Amino acid sequence: MGSQPLFEHPACLITQLDVHVQEQLIAQLAPLGIHPRHFGVLSLLIEQDGLSQHQLSAPLSVHRNVMVGLVDDMERRGLVDRQPHPTDRRAHAVRLLPAGRQLHAEAEALVSEFEAKLLGGLDAAEARAFTSLLMRVCENAGLYHDIHPGLRASSGESLSV
C-alpha cells in the first residue's frame, strides 16, 4: 500500500493556500490601514447597518470583547459611530459613516482584484465551480456563512493593524 504524497492531500493544499491568502489579504488591505477583520465588520454593516455590537458579534462569531475593540478602533478612525439603538435602550446601534462606506468600497476593490489574480489560472466557469465547491466543503465542515476564524481573536489579543 503506497502513501499519498504530501501535496496531494487536500488538507495540506488548503492549509498552504490559507496561509498564502491570509498573508496576501493583510498586505492588500494594509495601505488602507485596515486588517481583514475590519473588512469583515464593514462588509456586514454595509449589508445590515445599525446593528448593536451584540447583533454584530453573533453572525460574525466574534467574542463581544473583541467586537467592542473593533468598534472602538473603527469609531476612532471615523468609520462608524454609535447611536442609541431604536429598539433596545441598553444597546447602541453601530452605523457606518461616509468614510466607512468609502473605505469599504476601496477595500472591496482591492479584495476583488486579489481574488481575480488568485483565480487567474481558471476560466470563468471553473472559478464559479471552484467557489461553489469551496462553499460546499465549508458547509460540510460546519463553516457555512461563518466568518473567517481570524475574527475570533481572544479578548486579550491586540486589535491594531
Side-chain angles (χ1 to χ4, degrees):
M1 188 184 330
S3 67
Q4 187 176 9
L6 181 62
F7 293 103
E8 290 181 10
H9 285 278
C12 181
L13 291 169
I14 291 168
T15 301
Q16 191 175 24
L17 184 60
D18 174 54
V19 170
H20 172 75
V21 168
Q22 285 185 55
E23 290 172 349
Q24 292 301 308
L25 281 177
I26 289 168
Q28 290 291 317
L29 296 172
L32 300 178
I34 63 171
H35 190 272
R37 67 181 131 228
H38 294 98
F39 178 68
V41 173
L42 289 170
S43 294
L44 184 58
L45 287 172
I46 286 288
E47 293 177 19
Q48 301 175 43
D49 199 21
L51 297 176
S52 70
Q53 289 174 173
H54 176 74
Q55 289 171 318
L56 283 168
S57 295
L60 295 175
S61 299
V62 175
H63 188 277
R64 67 181 178 272
N65 293 344
V66 174
M67 183 56 68
V68 168
L70 281 169
V71 173
D72 285 348
D73 181 44
M74 294 168 70
E75 190 171 39
R76 275 191 301 275
R77 295 176 186 205
L79 304 174
V80 301
D81 69 1
R82 292 176 174 112
Q83 299 175 3
H85 196 277
T87 61
D88 184 352
R89 63 184 182 152
R90 298 167 295 161
H92 289 91
V94 180
R95 300 211 181 268
L96 271 176
L97 295 174
R101 290 184 185 283
Q102 177 61 38
L103 183 63
H104 179 266
E106 293 172 25
E108 184 74 41
L110 291 175
V111 170
S112 294
E113 180 182 318
F114 166 68
E115 290 172 343
K117 288 178 187 172
L118 180 68
L119 301 178
L122 305 176
D123 65 34
E126 290 171 329
R128 284 190 303 278
F130 179 73
T131 301
S132 177
L133 289 170
L134 281 176
M135 290 169 67
R136 285 178 46 202
V137 169
C138 287
E139 182 176 3
N140 187 58
L143 301 173
Y144 189 69
H145 292 303
D146 203 3
I147 196 68
H148 189 279
L151 272 172
R152 292 189 205 111
S154 67
S155 60
E157 181 180 328
S158 170
L159 296 175
S160 61
V161 181

